[in-house]
Structure formats: structure tokens, C-alpha cells
Amino acid sequence: MGSELAELKEQVSLLRKELSRVSDEAEVRKVHFKYGYYLDKCLYNEVVDMYADHPDTYVEFLGSRYRGKEGVKRLYNGRFQQAFVNGRNGPVRGFLLDHIMMQDIVDVDPSGTHAWCRMRALMQAGTHMSVRETHPRGHVQWWEGGLYENEYIKENGVWKLFRYRYFPFWHAEYEKGWSLTKENYVPWPTKTYPEDPLGPDEIIEQKMLWPDTRVVPFHYPHPVTGKPTAADDLRAPHYGKDASTAEAPLTLALPEGQSRPGAGKAWESEGSVRVLPDLVQNP
């Protein structure tokens, strides 16, 4: 009887852990979807409030990083809010900026306080012809496809955005499609804050826009082999050329001054490794 009771207690404990993991994964997924809905309608105050006020918080975007909560504000309340909606919080008539979020892969560590999410975004954007004389973008419509490889932390029981990496993979004007997209469709930042009052805190080497087709690194190993994807296989050489001739692979490396105390530690769930050991955050 005693052994059966001990076994039952162990099963209950395992079920509690599994329930917590599944619940946390669902919450992280919801947090990102809510972020997307706010972004659609240029509710940048709400977007910024979703980020953790943590010294290691950052957004990586278009070959640059916006660090800390102040850097996050500079990107959303500065660059985006000023350019798209003339500084107001919320939409303006005739401007479309819909982000369809999909193909999400969420992994939460055993502590239940740190998570990764890989997700695809498909954006439909532009202006209605009726505002072509009043909106600074004129009359325009375009598509954008991109990938997120994000990290989240739970503070005081609430999941928050932590390290956000968004790689805008391709752009296309609606009428012409992606085959005729000009290179460097969105100009890279060239100046940092404070020289550029709305600029990033640092310029980084990770720059990728169509027709560059490098792979955004996966935070997880292969689900069957358990192996990471080889670095050369993340590169994108010209057809028939060796990988060594292509640009260096992209990485999920942290900026200078940040670390992962749990790096090298492997943790499993349901018999498989969920996150590459060198990306494990918690010890």
C-alpha cells in the first residue's frame, strides 16, 4: 500500500509539472499574439508595456539592437509611432499594418520562468488611395514576411517579452511581387543613439533582406536526431557554389555584457531536448 501511494504521489507530481509546462506554453503563445494585435493597430504604448523592464531586454531588428526598456521605447514610440501614425497611440484612417502570426514553436524551461518562441509573420501593409495626399507614405501597398526567434521571461507570475529578434525575410510591392523587389528594400540604420535620436543602441553585422535566404537559426535541435543544424547549412551560397563563398551564418548570440548562466545544460521534456544546450538561460 505504501509503495502504491508513493507511486501515485510521483505520478501526480509529474502531471503537475506537465500541466504547468503546457499552461506556460499557451500563455507565451498568447502573449506574442496579443503583441501582434497591438502592433496591427499601432498601439505602441501597449506594445512597450509588454516588455520586461530588465537590463538585458532588447529588440534585434534590421541589423541593429535597441537595448533596455528605453531602447524599446525609442523603436516603437519613436521610430514606428512617428513614421506611421504621426506620434499618436493608435491607428490612423487609411493605413493598414496587419501582422499574421503563425507556425509557432514554444518551449518553456523547467523553471517555468524562461521561454523561447519561433514564429512566422506575414504582413499586409499600405495606404488607401483616399489618403494618398495626407499620409507621408502616399499611395503604397506591400507585403512582408519574417521570422521571430524570441525569448520571454516570467516576472511576478506574468510572462513578458524579453529578447526579441525579428528578421524581416522578404518584402514585395503588391503590384510587382517579390521577384522584382529592389535590394536593401528597407535601409539599414547607419547611426546610433544619441547621434540619431530615434536610432538603435548598436549596429550589428547580422543583416539579412531578400534575396538573401540564409536560415534564421533554430533555438531547438532536430526533433528526431537531437542534433543542431550545421553552420554551413544555415548559409545561402549562389546556386552551384560552395557554402564557404556565402555570407557567414546568422546567430542567436547575445550582445556583449550578457550571459546565459545555464549554457551547456541539457534539459528534456517528454523525452526530447527542447532547447539547444548553449541557449539554455537558467542554471
Side-chain angles (χ1 to χ4, degrees):
M1 184 67 176
S3 61
E4 292 179 354
L5 182 59
E7 183 179 349
L8 182 60
K9 287 182 177 179
E10 183 179 358
Q11 290 178 352
V12 170
S13 177
L14 291 173
L15 286 172
R16 282 178 175 171
K17 290 180 181 179
E18 183 63 11
L19 179 60
S20 293
R21 182 184 69 80
V22 172
S23 176
D24 279 328
E25 287 182 1
E27 286 303 312
V28 169
R29 187 173 291 112
K30 283 163 62 177
V31 164
H32 186 85
F33 288 156
K34 289 174 182 178
Y35 162 85
Y37 281 118
Y38 290 138
L39 204 60
D40 290 345
K41 293 303 181 183
C42 303
L43 290 162
Y44 297 116
N45 294 352
E46 283 77 359
V47 167
V48 169
D49 286 342
M50 297 190 74
Y51 278 87
D53 192 1
H54 189 287
D56 289 350
T57 292
Y58 69 77
V59 178
E60 186 173 322
F61 174 66
L62 284 177
S64 61
R65 286 195 189 99
Y66 297 78
R67 299 182 65 166
K69 197 67 174 277
E70 289 305 310
V72 170
K73 290 178 182 178
R74 205 180 314 121
L75 175 62
Y76 292 101
N77 293 136
R79 175 173 175 164
F80 294 152
Q81 198 168 52
Q82 298 300 322
F84 294 148
V85 290
N86 195 34
R88 81 175 300 267
N89 189 54
V92 293
R93 182 177 176 84
F95 180 66
L96 179 71
L97 197 68
D98 279 359
H99 299 71
I100 302 170
M101 306 293 190
M102 53 191 168
Q103 293 183 293
D104 43 293
I105 299 174
V106 179
D107 291 297
V108 179
D109 80 0
S111 75
T113 60
H114 182 270
W116 281 86
C117 176
R118 185 183 184 92
M119 190 175 297
R120 186 181 300 279
L122 177 63
M123 189 171 80
Q124 302 157 321
T127 56
H128 189 265
M129 62 180 298
S130 63
V131 302
R132 64 184 180 276
E133 302 295 336
T134 56
H135 195 282
R137 300 302 296 264
H139 187 205
V140 64
Q141 50 188 349
W142 75 94
W143 298 91
E144 177 180 305
L147 277 173
Y148 291 94
E149 265 289 358
N150 296 335
E151 297 176 61
Y152 307 76
I153 56 174
K154 185 191 284 185
E155 294 183 328
N156 299 318
V158 178
W159 282 105
K160 299 177 183 180
L161 317 185
F162 181 37
R163 295 173 178 137
Y164 252 46
R165 306 172 187 86
Y166 177 58
F167 298 85
F169 187 63
W170 60 271
H171 297 84
E173 294 182 9
Y174 184 81
E175 295 84 356
K176 296 180 180 179
W178 45 83
S179 291
L180 299 177
T181 301
K182 65 179 181 179
E183 295 195 36
N184 197 21
Y185 186 86
V186 182
W188 308 111
T190 58
K191 299 177 181 179
T192 56
Y193 178 81
E195 182 180 4
D196 177 355
L198 301 181
D201 293 283
E202 59 182 317
I203 306 292
I204 60 177
E205 293 299 320
Q206 296 216 112
K207 298 178 179 178
M208 182 186 72
L209 283 176
W210 173 250
D212 188 343
T213 53
R214 282 175 291 173
V215 180
V216 175
F218 306 96
H219 72 259
Y220 48 86
H222 189 281
V224 176
T225 67
K227 298 178 180 179
T229 303
D232 272 354
D233 295 343
L234 300 176
R235 302 169 84 169
H238 283 275
Y239 185 83
K241 300 294 183 180
D242 189 78
S244 62
T245 65
E247 293 187 74
L250 302 168
T251 79
L252 302 178
L254 296 178
E256 184 177 353
Q258 295 192 21
S259 65
R260 297 191 185 282
K265 178 183 177 181
W267 54 267
E268 297 185 1
S269 179
E270 295 182 326
S272 63
V273 175
R274 292 282 180 169
V275 173
L276 292 171
D278 61 334
L279 299 178
V280 174
Q281 179 67 23
N282 293 317

